[in-house]
Amino acid sequence: MFCACGSKVNIVDIETGDIIHSIEQDDETEITVFALSDDDEILVTGSQALLLKQWDWLGNKCTRTWKAVHTAPVASMTFDPSSTLLATGGCDSTIKIWDIPRQYCTHNLKGSSGVVHLVKFHPDISQPQLFSSSMDNSIRLWDLKSSQCVSQLDNHYSLVTSLSFCPDNETLISSGRDKICTVWDLKAKKVKSTIPVYETIESVVLLPQELDLSNLGVTKSSTHFLTAGSKGVLRVWDASTATCVHSQSLPHLPAEPKVDMIGQHSLIHCSLVPIKSELVSVNVDRNICLYDAQTLELKKQFSGYNGEVLDVRFLGPKDSHLVVATNSPQLKVFELSSSNCQILPGHSDIVLALDVFRKGRLFASCSKDKTFRIWQMTEDGQVSCVAQGQGHTHQVGALACSKTKENFLITASQDHTIKVWLLPKFPTVNEKENQIVMLQATKTEVAHDKDVNSVAVSPNDKLVATGSQDKTAKLWDSENCVLLGVFSGHKRGIWCVQFSPVDQVLATSSADGTVKIWDLQDFSCLKTFEGHDASVLKVIFVSEGGQVLSSGADGLLKLWTIKNNECVKTLDAHDSKVWALHANKKDDTVVTGSTDSRVLLWKLSANLQSKRTQHY
């Protein structure tokens, strides 16, 4: 599988998910478009530098570089069925056709309006024709013998996104962002039918009649096609009756999503892999899913670009997985041994924080959508949502799970409150597919004058600590939410609070660049660690409570020995803010996540950290 990523094209082994090798531009300019020939031999890339490069991708070398002759970047590119002609559509409104073996430009087609974002050769090699679409929403048919536009097909009133030819080569199906698909008679050059699909469509795929697709409502007597668009599900349509005969059932998506949710799960690409009888789709988060073409059941997922990593936790009874929250409504669960990824939709806005219960199979997430969710992992590593809680009036920015039993949860919000939620005993997912339990808060307390940024539960479940933008941390009785005391001394807002696993102390980290250790009995400050040049975003206890590890907005990790106030190690780990920091149960490995999009694993030795061991 070939995936563009900045200045390179990654070639991925579908079985393992590993990047076999990368085709990379020497000048590191961004690749705007690429195409692979039908015989899988030739890869051509187009870049912002207005250059085209031909690659021997198996040998990982560039065999030819030439000027695209376009005056603006190439926006679209395709090979003809013979793998000898390449068409490039430019942002300069022109189309060039290149003879690849003979290495020259054969056609310069002018007349399009704006960016030519779609080019496609006629599948019948005896008909030298090219179809294109640009910003005027028309489909142009070019005769390559005369280099003239011989027809203009008009029916869409928004951007045309995809073209798919029927086996008779006389029928074309087009999709658009105007929520319609059009079936064209290419002989008469007229519309045969207009099919309202009620969502913006990015890809239309013709379903081959030789595949048994009866599970999808497909019959041999009619033409059927599949659409991928803003609703986030694959749907199958009968072209002759203009009806949807099958809609993919995905547990995280409602049958008819709300208007404000449409687009959050959008599919931006879909194509058929005939040799494997599979469909591949790409969503707006650049996550790639492989489906069985005959059932539309999910077979494999690949995680796309992480974006900013906001939180990360070890997961599983033996810390065999990582759950990662990025600036997305979807969570990602990685298996550490293989890097296999599960993508967990459910929230309707960005997930801000995570926490895991003691046994490692249950974990919680909270979001900008004002809710939190409880997730459960089966013995074979599959994760599903088992409960949801709502009641906060603003985004839920922090949460903490009970430590001794899996019986309660504390959430904290921008509405300045904390809430206590009692949890039922969840049946194992293995028994049967359970409905999501809706939870209600048992206690609500206005905790601070400003946003509550962090919340923690003590090792014995009797105390709760909160940290706020109002520069204070507070200690609460967990059962009744009674305020026990206030920790005052930070000069700016507090980002993180953490109980020691062994001592009666609390650690706090702040935007004033310090970490403080506080006595839980008299609320006095026992230690102050100074060394970060920016906000300290997270702090955790490691080495059985003898040290604290802090992460900052400066991208640094610092390891502090509590006894002698000494910073024993500074790690320049990330290029940007390190929001995520968590240690495993054995206390020998730490995971970090940053707004630089990277998740790193670190080994803890006796008194310092070794170099990173893995990178996601």
Side-chain angles (χ1 to χ4, degrees):
M1 180 167 61
F2 295 75
C3 308
C5 182
S7 63
K8 58 190 176 184
V9 174
N10 290 328
I11 301 169
V12 180
D13 185 311
I14 290 178
E15 289 303 315
T16 64
D18 295 334
I19 296 174
I20 304 166
H21 55 258
S22 294
I23 303 292
E24 188 154 14
Q25 300 273 119
D26 293 334
D27 53 7
E28 294 188 352
T29 53
E30 185 173 345
I31 292 173
T32 56
V33 67
F34 72 94
L36 184 68
S37 60
D38 284 20
D39 61 9
D40 294 341
E41 294 286 329
I42 304 167
L43 178 74
V44 175
T45 59
S47 72
Q48 291 277 14
L50 308 185
L51 294 175
L52 297 176
K53 289 179 181 281
Q54 182 177 327
W55 302 84
D56 168 13
W57 63 269
L58 284 167
N60 201 14
K61 61 183 179 185
C62 179
T63 57
R64 181 185 167 215
T65 301
W66 71 101
K67 290 182 179 178
V69 196
H70 291 279
T71 58
V74 176
S76 55
M77 184 186 291
T78 188
F79 276 93
D80 81 328
S82 72
S83 300
T84 58
L85 295 180
L86 177 77
T88 56
C91 295
D92 59 0
S93 307
T94 69
I95 301 166
K96 319 288 184 193
I97 297 181
W98 307 86
D99 186 316
I100 295 298
R102 296 176 184 170
Q103 303 187 0
Y104 71 97
C105 181
T106 62
H107 298 73
N108 183 16
L109 307 177
K110 297 179 179 179
S112 300
S113 175
V115 175
V116 182
H117 60 269
L118 187 58
V119 286
K120 194 150 189 168
F121 284 97
H122 195 289
D124 184 355
I125 202 164
S126 66
Q127 297 190 50
Q129 295 176 339
L130 181 78
F131 292 77
S132 71
S133 187
S134 57
M135 304 307 284
D136 61 2
N137 312 325
S138 293
I139 301 168
R140 286 179 170 80
L141 171 55
W142 304 86
D143 177 16
L144 299 185
K145 287 182 179 176
S146 64
S147 297
Q148 297 297 313
C149 177
V150 293
S151 186
Q152 194 165 316
L153 309 177
D154 291 313
N155 192 46
H156 290 279
Y157 58 88
S158 187
L159 208 67
V160 178
T161 54
S162 183
L163 301 175
S164 191
F165 292 90
C166 296
D168 62 9
N169 292 335
E170 295 177 357
T171 308
L172 174 71
I173 300 172
S174 61
S175 65
R177 293 185 183 157
D178 49 8
K179 303 184 180 182
I180 64 169
C181 287
T182 305
V183 183
W184 301 89
D185 182 335
L186 292 182
K187 268 195 169 180
K189 298 181 176 56
K190 289 182 179 177
V191 175
K192 285 174 82 170
S193 62
T194 299
I195 302 172
V197 292
Y198 310 108
E199 65 172 325
T200 59
I201 299 296
E202 296 299 322
S203 285
V204 60
V205 176
L206 193 85
L207 294 175
Q209 293 187 333
E210 56 268 22
L211 276 181
D212 178 13
L213 302 174
S214 52
N215 287 331
L216 307 181
V218 173
T219 60
K220 301 286 185 184
S221 58
S222 180
T223 297
H224 291 78
F225 62 92
L226 179 139
T227 56
S230 58
K231 288 186 177 179
V233 295
L234 302 175
R235 296 195 291 164
V236 180
W237 299 81
D238 185 329
S240 59
T241 62
T243 55
C244 178
V245 295
H246 184 85
S247 186
Q248 188 182 30
S249 176
L250 295 178
H252 62 278
L253 291 179
E256 287 299 324
K258 297 175 186 174
V259 173
D260 60 353
M261 284 179 63
I262 291 177
Q264 292 181 359
H265 305 285
S266 289
L267 299 175
I268 58 172
H269 179 73
C270 183
S271 60
L272 182 70
V273 188
I275 196 167
K276 294 183 68 109
S277 188
E278 290 179 350
L279 285 156
V280 58
S281 72
V282 184
N283 74 3
V284 71
D285 285 328
R286 304 304 193 268
N287 298 323
I288 301 168
C289 293
L290 290 175
Y291 296 99
D292 185 319
Q294 295 176 292
T295 61
L296 296 190
E297 289 180 0
L298 181 65
K299 294 180 74 173
K300 189 164 282 193
Q301 296 180 90
F302 299 99
S303 169
Y305 176 62
N306 274 339
E308 297 182 358
V309 178
L310 302 181
D311 209 355
V312 63
R313 289 287 189 276
F314 285 99
L315 185 61
K318 296 182 178 178
D319 294 327
S320 56
H321 293 68
L322 287 177
V323 55
V324 182
T326 64
N327 55 346
S328 161
Q330 299 179 334
L331 293 170
K332 295 174 183 178
V333 176
F334 292 96
E335 185 179 26
L336 289 175
S337 61
S338 67
S339 302
N340 281 345
C341 178
Q342 281 179 74
I343 296 156
L344 305 179
H347 285 287
S348 60
D349 207 338
I350 291 171
V351 178
L352 297 172
L354 303 164
D355 200 13
V356 179
F357 288 92
R358 180 175 59 91
K359 293 179 182 176
R361 290 209 186 279
L362 275 183
F363 69 95
S365 60
C366 60
S367 165
K368 281 187 176 181
D369 64 10
K370 307 175 189 174
T371 74
F372 74 90
R373 285 177 177 257
I374 307 288
W375 308 80
Q376 189 175 50
M377 175 186 273
T378 61
E379 288 184 10
D380 63 358
Q382 295 302 305
V383 178
S384 60
C385 182
V386 292
Q388 181 182 9
Q390 50 191 18
H392 283 289
T393 57
H394 287 76
Q395 66 184 37
V396 185
L399 80 174
C401 300
S402 54
K403 303 301 181 189
T404 60
K405 296 178 181 177
E406 298 176 336
N407 60 348
F408 75 89
L409 181 85
I410 311 286
T411 56
S413 167
Q414 270 193 354
D415 61 15
H416 307 171
T417 69
I418 56 171
K419 289 180 183 285
V420 181
W421 311 77
L422 296 183
L423 305 182
K425 182 167 173 33
F426 298 109
T428 60
V429 181
N430 297 341
E431 292 174 17
K432 63 176 183 177
E433 196 169 312
N434 299 290
Q435 286 196 332
I436 294 174
V437 178
M438 300 305 294
L439 302 174
Q440 298 295 324
T442 55
K443 289 266 189 287
T444 300
E445 191 68 37
V446 177
H448 289 272
D449 297 330
K450 292 185 178 180
D451 297 359
V452 186
N453 293 329
S454 180
V455 62
V457 176
S458 65
N460 64 3
D461 282 346
K462 292 184 177 179
L463 302 172
V464 171
T466 55
S468 167
Q469 208 64 33
D470 66 9
K471 307 176 189 176
T472 68
K474 294 184 179 182
L475 191 67
W476 308 81
D477 168 72
S478 65
E479 191 174 348
N480 299 307
C481 274
V482 174
L483 180 64
L484 302 176
V486 180
F487 305 95
S488 299
H490 279 294
K491 296 175 182 175
R492 296 185 69 184
I494 293 173
W495 281 116
C496 184
V497 293
Q498 199 73 245
F499 285 99
S500 167
V502 290
D503 299 316
Q504 294 288 302
V505 296
L506 181 80
T508 59
S509 68
S510 166
D512 63 13
T514 68
V515 174
K516 290 180 182 287
I517 306 292
W518 307 83
D519 189 309
L520 295 182
Q521 303 299 321
D522 61 10
F523 311 106
S524 63
C525 180
L526 302 174
K527 306 265 185 181
T528 298
F529 301 128
E530 298 180 3
H532 284 280
D533 293 329
S535 298
V536 187
L537 304 176
K538 275 282 165 71
V539 61
I540 60 171
F541 284 89
V542 293
S543 307
E544 298 177 335
Q547 295 177 308
V548 290
L549 182 64
S550 59
S551 65
D554 50 11
L556 299 179
L557 299 178
K558 287 183 177 287
L559 185 66
W560 311 83
T561 300
I562 296 173
K563 197 171 183 180
N564 59 15
N565 281 30
E566 185 184 355
C567 178
V568 295
K569 191 75 174 176
T570 297
L571 293 157
D572 193 356
H574 290 276
D575 300 328
S576 190
K577 297 175 183 175
V578 183
W579 282 110
L581 182 62
H582 191 228
N584 67 348
K585 295 185 187 72
K586 287 183 179 178
D587 204 18
D588 63 1
T589 306
V590 169
V591 62
T592 58
S594 164
T595 53
D596 65 7
S597 307
R598 293 183 300 159
V599 176
L600 304 178
L601 282 177
W602 304 81
K603 279 289 180 190
L604 273 169
S605 57
N607 72 335
L608 52 84
Q609 285 183 307
S610 69
K611 62 183 179 180
R612 58 179 180 257
T613 58
Q614 216 156 343
H615 167 205
Y616 292 89

